Amino acid sequence: CVCVCVKQMEKVIVAMQDPDMGIKMRNQRLLITVIPHAMTGVDVITWLTQKYRIGEEEALHLGGMLVRYGYIYPLKEPRCLVLQPDDSPYRFQTPYFWMSTRWPASEVDYAIFLAKKNIRKQGELMEHEKERYSLLHKRINHTWDFVVMQAREQLRTSKQRRKADRIVLECQEQAYWLINRPPPGVQSVLDMGLERPSNQNLRVPLNSDFYKREIEASRRALGRNRVKSSICLEGFVKYCEQYQDHDPIMLGCLPSNPWISDDSAYWTINTEIVLVPTRLRVERWSFSFMELLSDPMGRKEFMTYLEKEFSAENLYFWQACEEIRHGESSKIPQKVEDVYKNFLAPGASRWVNIDSKTMDKTLEGIKRPHRFVLDDAQMHIYFLMKKDSYPRFLKSDLYKNMLSRAMVPQESKKSVFPFMRRQRHSSPSPAQVVAHGTEEDERTGGVGQAGTNSTTGARV
Amino acid sequence: MGKEECKTMLDALNKVTACYRHLVIALGSTSDSQNLREELKKTRKKAQELAVANRTKLTSLLKDKSISKEDRAEYERLWVLFSSSMELLEVDMKRSLEIGQEFPIKVPTRHFIQTGMTGSTNAVAARAMSVQNMKYEADSNIDTADLRDLQTEITQVTQMVEEMEMKVQVAPWAVVAKQEAGAELKSNMSVGNSSVGVISICEEEPKDDESGGAREGRSASIGAVVVFFVIVGVALVLGYLVINMS
């Protein structure tokens, strides 16, 4: 952030002013005028090197930043905002023109500056200045009289100072505007790229169009649906309560936690397709339709049920749409074509019942197939199944049988010795458990085959 | 005529605004001093007096429903001039608070920035106050005491500006300026070569600021030298004639 940098830079600048430890000043000699308080590039670098005990390269970089942010300005080549490590002269900028001011340059200020320059140079402004001048004349035309009046008055005021001070004043102003309104092609230090703060948008003209847009945006924001946090939180609590028994970390898992007991039975009985699913798994199918569909066994059972009901084409269609959404891009047109032939065309073998509006939209979209072209139709069928088939499935005999047939794995039997218990719950410190484990092994070795100590079994 | 009075008051406010800005630019630099703080304070107070006077006059003129359309347009233009002046003044007052706090005077070691400006600003302040010479009578703790006053005054000015925006029914963007682009070039200001115009600090050529000074210096010194020799020559001729005659 610029703000942090510039505050630090200011500390450096103030330190340079110290009467004892500060930087050495020289006089700048113009033919009849002598202006004090000039320093060379070498002076700056030497001072920085000594004061902060840094290398010359770093001092050059730091000094360069002081110049780029306008705290020091060059006297010989004002447009070249670089610290030259030689005897080129530089001077400090007055605090009024420091970058850290909370009230940055405004368009009116710039217009006044250009008008002053116009007067001094008798109209001989640089090309880009002339362009900006005309642009400003259009943009802030309503206050242009003020600009001209103030420009004239400011010039009259500076005539009250002596010649040397007038020169310095001009140099200061020129340096300030070279940084705040850099000539075209020069990168502005105020432009911070991706980190650009949003108040750059203040450059937008505050006219009636701007306000109309703001009003419209606020109106839309008011109309947005919002959910009360009490309701959101209720939802969270319900979800946690429902899933708590199914969470191995909260309640442990049967037969045992493989990470602790080294018995991978838990994983074997919960693979994608098993002969007999666990009870917890089958229970989860009743939590939500998505749970059922995302479990391959659940989906298989549901398919069996739908075939009995003669509405299996819905699930086949949904699956086909999923394949398109998550599949290879190159195969999309072909897949969409197949889906159309099998599910959407009149007289198709597995024709799905979609409402006419969605059907028309989908058929139109199929002409230019892409990944999400079947989304609307898929969503329609999904909700159809969810509202209709799914509740009946849960009440069906098929599901109830599955539930009763589902197995509940036994917690591995406790051994005779009380401290050789199976680790069902995850322990807070695995290190503790490992120490325990090695103890157990020693004892089992000693005792022989006493107790169903499946640790040794698993190791085989 | 209300219009002329308004214009004169606005000119005065404009002058004081320009002077105030000039003084704030000197804050924190080697031109800073106790006198400068006092000058700032006096100029500021003068600006506020003028502001209040202007506002009263303009609002009473704008409230008058019986004025003609052209008159109304003219008053709106003057109103925009006035509010622009106030905005400039407000920002400069805030800046002077910012800088004044950072660069106190009453400290064992002052760290004013050595900007190369070393002359005094009392001519500027005198111009603002429309006096011949400035009188300095402040105590030594002006920097801290004045900052508190300044904060209150800034609040007052901000409030005034806000009130102006709310209460006065003038659409600033609807005002058309009288001056066209480049109007300042047709000014009655003398832009002779003694003004700051000739010190062109580097446009195309790098060494301009020295050569700029040199150009002017050379012409001035050549002129002086020529005049000197002419006078010496005349003196010699007269002397010779006198000696010859006697």
Side-chain angles (χ1 to χ4, degrees):
Chain A
C1 173
V2 178
C3 316
V4 180
C5 283
V6 297
K7 283 287 167 210
Q8 309 287 48
M9 282 193 257
E10 281 170 21
K11 288 200 185 121
V12 174
I13 295 288
V14 168
M16 283 181 171
Q17 314 302 323
D18 191 289
D20 307 311
M21 305 289 287
I23 197 168
K24 190 172 68 156
M25 294 272 109
R26 301 160 193 272
N27 289 332
Q28 180 196 16
R29 283 175 196 288
L30 306 176
L31 219 68
I32 41 170
T33 346
V34 171
I35 307 180
H37 307 151
M39 54 211 166
T40 64
V42 174
D43 288 339
V44 175
I45 295 176
T46 319
W47 187 87
L48 286 169
T49 324
Q50 284 172 357
K51 165 93 178 172
Y52 296 107
R53 271 170 270 210
I54 53 179
E56 211 177 291
E57 199 183 322
E58 198 178 339
L60 188 62
H61 174 74
L62 182 55
M65 282 188 76
L66 292 175
V67 175
R68 276 207 317 276
Y69 281 87
Y71 288 94
I72 294 178
Y73 59 93
L75 299 174
K76 269 237 171 73
E77 280 170 65
R79 286 176 205 290
C80 182
L81 295 174
V82 169
L83 184 71
Q84 310 276 19
D86 52 26
D87 61 355
S88 328
Y90 294 86
R91 189 170 275 136
F92 290 111
Q93 178 67 281
T94 187
Y96 185 84
F97 288 133
W98 278 1
M99 195 62 50
S100 62
T101 176
R102 296 215 303 275
W103 296 280
S106 77
E107 300 290 26
V108 174
D109 291 328
Y110 190 46
I112 295 175
F113 169 69
L114 286 177
K116 281 202 284 190
K117 198 165 180 188
N118 211 16
I119 297 176
R120 286 201 319 259
K121 300 257 176 198
Q122 309 276 48
E124 290 303 312
L125 291 176
M126 304 198 75
E127 218 29 70
H128 68 266
E129 287 173 337
K130 281 189 182 145
E131 277 174 33
R132 289 175 186 178
Y133 182 91
S134 4
L135 203 66
L136 281 169
H137 177 76
K138 243 189 292 175
R139 223 191 280 169
I140 55 170
N141 184 274
H142 60 282
T143 190
W144 199 257
D145 291 340
F146 173 70
V147 167
V148 172
M149 268 174 74
Q150 184 67 205
R152 289 185 180 148
E153 198 52 54
Q154 283 186 11
L155 282 177
R156 284 186 203 122
T157 309
S158 54
K159 281 209 186 127
Q160 308 298 318
R161 305 291 299 270
R162 60 177 202 206
K163 173 89 152 307
D165 290 344
R166 258 186 283 151
I167 298 177
V168 171
L169 195 58
E170 258 189 58
C171 293
Q172 283 176 352
E173 244 192 333
Q174 182 183 250
Y176 176 71
W177 289 110
L178 275 173
I179 292 184
N180 277 277
R181 298 283 190 274
V186 175
Q187 205 198 18
S188 165
V189 286
L190 302 171
D191 182 15
M192 284 163 277
L194 289 173
E195 290 164 12
R196 207 175 312 147
S198 60
N199 58 8
Q200 295 283 25
N201 294 333
L202 290 176
R203 303 278 166 95
V204 167
L206 299 176
N207 55 17
S208 55
D209 278 326
F210 171 73
Y211 286 117
K212 281 192 190 135
R213 275 182 274 130
E214 288 283 291
I215 292 174
E216 200 44 51
S218 306
R219 210 171 271 152
R220 270 183 272 129
L222 276 176
R224 268 203 290 263
N225 256 341
R226 281 167 170 76
V227 185
K228 287 211 294 214
S229 47
S230 57
I231 298 183
C232 278
L233 291 170
E234 266 175 37
F236 273 124
V237 170
K238 276 206 197 112
Y239 180 90
C240 293
E241 280 172 6
Q242 192 179 45
Y243 277 87
Q244 183 168 31
D245 292 345
H246 299 249
D247 191 335
I249 292 180
M250 300 308 286
L251 230 56
C253 56
L254 298 170
S256 63
N257 187 333
W259 296 108
I260 295 170
S261 62
D262 282 339
D263 174 19
S264 52
Y266 174 72
W267 289 326
T268 342
I269 60 181
N270 278 304
T271 45
E272 277 198 7
I273 307 285
V274 283
L275 219 51
V276 187
T278 60
R279 192 185 172 83
L280 282 178
R281 184 174 175 177
V282 180
E283 266 177 30
R284 276 204 292 277
W285 298 347
S286 68
F287 286 177
S288 76
F289 189 39
M290 210 55 208
E291 273 282 359
L292 176 66
L293 285 183
S294 28
D295 185 348
M297 274 204 74
R299 203 191 286 190
K300 198 163 72 112
E301 293 303 311
F302 190 56
M303 182 68 90
T304 323
Y305 175 74
L306 287 179
E307 302 225 317
K308 287 215 185 105
E309 299 244 310
F310 301 107
S311 48
E313 67 274 2
N314 290 335
L315 190 54
Y316 281 120
F317 175 68
W318 185 87
Q319 279 182 173
C321 291
E322 281 292 283
E323 270 183 42
I324 292 177
R325 266 160 54 102
H326 300 293
E328 264 186 51
S329 298
S330 54
K331 301 215 173 94
I332 288 177
Q334 180 58 44
K335 284 184 184 171
V336 171
E337 186 63 40
D338 290 338
V339 163
Y340 173 73
K341 270 204 306 242
N342 292 330
F343 298 97
L344 299 172
S349 55
R350 283 177 168 159
W351 190 80
V352 283
N353 192 359
I354 303 177
D355 68 293
S356 55
K357 194 162 144 232
T358 319
M359 180 65 96
D360 289 338
K361 192 168 164 213
T362 309
L363 292 178
E364 195 52 45
I366 283 181
K367 296 183 184 155
R368 260 182 290 270
H370 60 91
R371 195 173 289 272
F372 307 107
V373 69
L374 294 168
D375 270 9
D376 289 332
Q378 186 188 16
M379 190 66 48
H380 181 90
I381 295 293
Y382 176 84
F383 281 117
L384 194 68
M385 289 194 286
K386 180 175 169 181
K387 276 199 281 228
D388 189 30
S389 318
Y390 176 60
R392 280 187 281 126
F393 168 74
L394 290 181
K395 295 196 199 108
S396 69
D397 292 330
L398 184 67
Y399 180 68
K400 291 203 174 107
N401 284 340
M402 283 242 68
L403 208 51
S404 54
R405 275 194 303 126
M407 65 104 114
V408 180
Q410 291 263 353
E411 186 177 8
S412 320
K413 246 170 38 186
K414 296 188 168 105
S415 74
V416 177
F417 299 89
F419 36 76
M420 285 195 230
R421 239 175 300 142
R422 259 320 87 219
Q423 288 292 351
R424 179 184 172 174
H425 304 275
S426 56
S427 71
S429 164
Q432 244 181 354
V433 174
V434 167
H436 234 146
T438 43
E439 256 186 72
E440 283 178 72
D441 284 5
E442 286 170 11
R443 276 176 237 270
T444 17
V447 171
Q449 285 95 4
T452 50
N453 198 334
S454 61
T455 323
T456 35
R459 289 248 175 80
V460 168
Chain B
M1 178 70 199
K3 249 190 258 177
E4 289 314 311
E5 217 183 305
C6 265
K7 286 205 186 131
T8 325
M9 289 203 318
L10 271 175
D11 282 341
L13 178 62
N14 188 43
K15 183 174 76 167
V16 174
T17 310
C19 292
Y20 189 69
R21 171 160 281 199
H22 192 103
L23 293 172
V24 182
I25 291 180
L27 253 186
S29 73
T30 32
S31 280
D32 200 349
S33 65
Q34 176 152 324
N35 286 351
L36 176 69
R37 305 288 168 116
E38 197 179 334
E39 288 162 8
L40 278 165
K41 177 173 173 171
K42 294 198 163 131
T43 315
R44 209 171 67 223
K45 296 237 187 294
K46 182 88 192 252
Q48 281 181 285
E49 284 168 21
L50 283 168
V52 172
N54 267 297
R55 186 192 61 172
T56 328
K57 186 86 190 145
L58 273 170
T59 38
S60 68
L61 281 171
L62 283 168
K63 273 210 184 99
D64 187 359
K65 303 271 184 210
S66 63
I67 53 176
S68 68
K69 239 176 126 192
E70 295 89 32
D71 274 352
R72 184 157 183 102
E74 176 62 11
Y75 292 142
E76 289 190 357
R77 191 187 73 89
L78 293 178
W79 180 260
V80 169
L81 274 172
F82 173 56
S83 52
S84 311
S85 217
M86 287 313 295
E87 279 169 20
L88 212 80
L89 207 60
E90 191 192 345
V91 169
D92 280 344
M93 279 169 76
K94 287 177 174 164
R95 286 225 187 136
S96 84
L97 180 66
E98 203 182 29
I99 304 174
Q101 282 170 337
E102 245 187 271
F103 292 94
I105 303 187
K106 275 221 111 26
V107 280
T109 12
R110 294 185 188 176
H111 286 127
F112 289 155
I113 309 296
Q114 296 162 86
T115 55
M117 303 238 291
T118 46
S120 84
T121 43
N122 51 24
V124 173
R127 183 184 169 82
M129 307 298 290
S130 308
V131 292
Q132 274 293 85
N133 291 307
M134 287 288 292
K135 273 190 292 238
Y136 296 101
E137 54 219 359
D139 347 301
S140 55
N141 68 340
I142 184 171
D143 55 342
T144 38
D146 189 42
L147 287 178
R148 270 176 274 129
D149 289 340
L150 178 53
Q151 268 172 324
T152 350
E153 285 170 37
I154 289 176
T155 336
Q156 286 171 354
V157 168
T158 320
Q159 267 176 351
M160 177 151 89
V161 170
E162 274 174 23
E163 261 182 48
M164 279 163 52
E165 276 177 41
M166 292 289 119
K167 294 201 177 144
V168 178
Q169 304 294 336
V170 174
W173 50 85
V175 168
V176 177
K178 268 192 179 163
Q179 313 269 19
E180 328 101 44
E184 59 271 13
L185 294 173
K186 309 184 188 99
S187 74
N188 47 8
M189 256 186 74
S190 65
V191 194
N193 67 355
S194 64
S195 85
V196 293
V198 184
I199 316 296
S200 63
I201 315 294
C202 173
E203 292 306 280
E204 306 339 314
E205 304 123 79
K207 294 244 176 87
D208 240 6
D209 81 343
E210 302 213 20
S211 60
R215 218 185 303 131
E216 186 200 299
R218 211 174 289 130
S219 59
S221 48
I222 285 177
V225 166
V226 163
V227 167
F228 175 71
F229 278 116
V230 162
I231 293 178
V232 166
V234 166
L236 284 173
V237 165
L238 284 173
Y240 177 71
L241 287 173
V242 163
I243 293 173
N244 260 2
M245 286 191 44
S246 57

